[in-house]
Amino acid sequence: MTQAHTQTALGYLTGRQLPPAAAAALRVVVLVVKWEERRRTRRGLKRLDAHLLNDIGLSRRDVERELARPVWED
């Protein structure tokens, strides 16, 4: 997320642009939320059995590879 986009998005809600420190804090919060969502999704993948993985076109090896990735990797 770019600084201009963050400032514009929240500026729309408040009627003004965010100060630079607030925009930076918002970017950090958005990043942490994305990481948490990835962690939650990967944890859910880990619990799927072979039949369900096959239904979504993944193998156990695909899941293990995904689980090995750090949350900050897209």
Side-chain angles (χ1 to χ4, degrees):
M1 179 177 288
T2 65
Q3 182 176 2
H5 179 72
T6 302
Q7 288 180 345
T8 303
L10 231 49
Y12 173 78
L13 296 174
T14 63
R16 61 185 169 80
Q17 281 201 335
L18 290 174
L26 179 60
R27 282 193 304 277
V28 169
V29 169
V30 167
L31 190 61
V32 169
V33 168
K34 283 182 183 181
W35 291 352
E36 175 59 22
E37 179 63 23
R38 287 181 192 151
R39 187 187 67 78
R40 209 173 321 128
T41 301
R42 290 172 183 172
R43 192 174 42 190
L45 265 179
K46 185 178 180 179
R47 290 192 297 257
L48 296 179
D49 64 20
H51 176 75
L52 292 173
L53 288 174
N54 188 45
D55 283 351
I56 60 173
L58 294 175
S59 67
R60 181 56 56 192
R61 184 179 172 137
D62 295 330
V63 171
E64 294 302 325
R65 198 173 312 124
E66 185 64 28
L67 292 173
R69 295 175 61 194
V71 292
W72 54 87
E73 256 187 36
D74 226 351

